[in-house]
Amino acid sequence: MTLNDVTLPTGGGKSGKEPLAISKDTTIMYSLQGMQLRKDIYGADADIFRPERWEASNVNRWHFIPYNHGPRMCMGRNFGQQQMEYILARICQEYAEIRIPEGQREQQIKIELNTKMAHPCMCEFVRREK
């Protein structure tokens, strides 16, 4: 909710590059998921899982914000990232390969309070030889 009338430097006009006036008492909402699928930033394939897009060194920290940034950043960010790093390291230590069996449905995203996978992702883990 805006406390005063305000003008944002961009976001208005047909191009989205003009100033945008917002009146006092206006509720402002945004979608992190929607922001992360922007074709003007990620290209025509923004909705396709393509992790190599993050290999470029010119990635802006605001382009991918699963934990948000700034004063509204998730308090559990470091804990969540640490858990994932540990789990991935342990999987890489124990397994040589991860396979997705035939017949899996194409994965989709389910949007609720948070986003999550719409279908289970069944995998086959092939142990490393010791």
Side-chain angles (χ1 to χ4, degrees), residues 14 30-31 49 55 62 71 109-110:
K14 288 183 180 181
Y30 69 100
S31 165
F49 178 70
E55 292 174 353
W62 286 94
I109 296 173
K110 185 175 186 179

Side-chain angles (χ1 to χ4, degrees), residues 72-83:
R72 305 251 189 282
M73 185 165 45
C74 175
M75 291 179 359
R77 173 183 163 226
N78 290 338
F79 180 66
Q81 287 179 328
Q82 187 178 34
Q83 281 185 312

Side-chain angles (χ1 to χ4, degrees), residues 78-94:
N78 290 338
F79 180 66
Q81 287 179 328
Q82 187 178 34
Q83 281 185 312
M84 289 308 301
E85 289 171 12
Y86 175 78
I87 289 168
L88 290 172
R90 290 295 297 137
I91 288 172
C92 290
Q93 289 171 347
E94 295 290 325

Side-chain angles (χ1 to χ4, degrees), residues 47-85:
D47 55 347
I48 296 172
F49 178 70
R50 198 169 56 79
E52 61 272 10
R53 78 175 80 237
W54 301 107
E55 292 174 353
S57 61
N58 63 346
V59 175
N60 182 310
R61 69 176 273 164
W62 286 94
H63 285 178
F64 182 66
I65 52 174
Y67 296 98
N68 220 333
H69 280 312
R72 305 251 189 282
M73 185 165 45
C74 175
M75 291 179 359
R77 173 183 163 226
N78 290 338
F79 180 66
Q81 287 179 328
Q82 187 178 34
Q83 281 185 312
M84 289 308 301
E85 289 171 12

Side-chain angles (χ1 to χ4, degrees), residues 29 34 61 92 111 113 118:
M29 297 172 58
R61 69 176 273 164
C92 290
I111 300 175
L113 181 60

Side-chain angles (χ1 to χ4, degrees), residues 47-49 100-110 116-122:
D47 55 347
I48 296 172
F49 178 70
I100 298 175
E102 293 292 324
Q104 295 275 340
R105 291 199 286 189
E106 183 176 339
Q107 194 55 262
Q108 296 174 326
I109 296 173
K110 185 175 186 179
K116 59 185 176 183
M117 305 318 294
H119 314 296
C121 180
M122 306 306 285

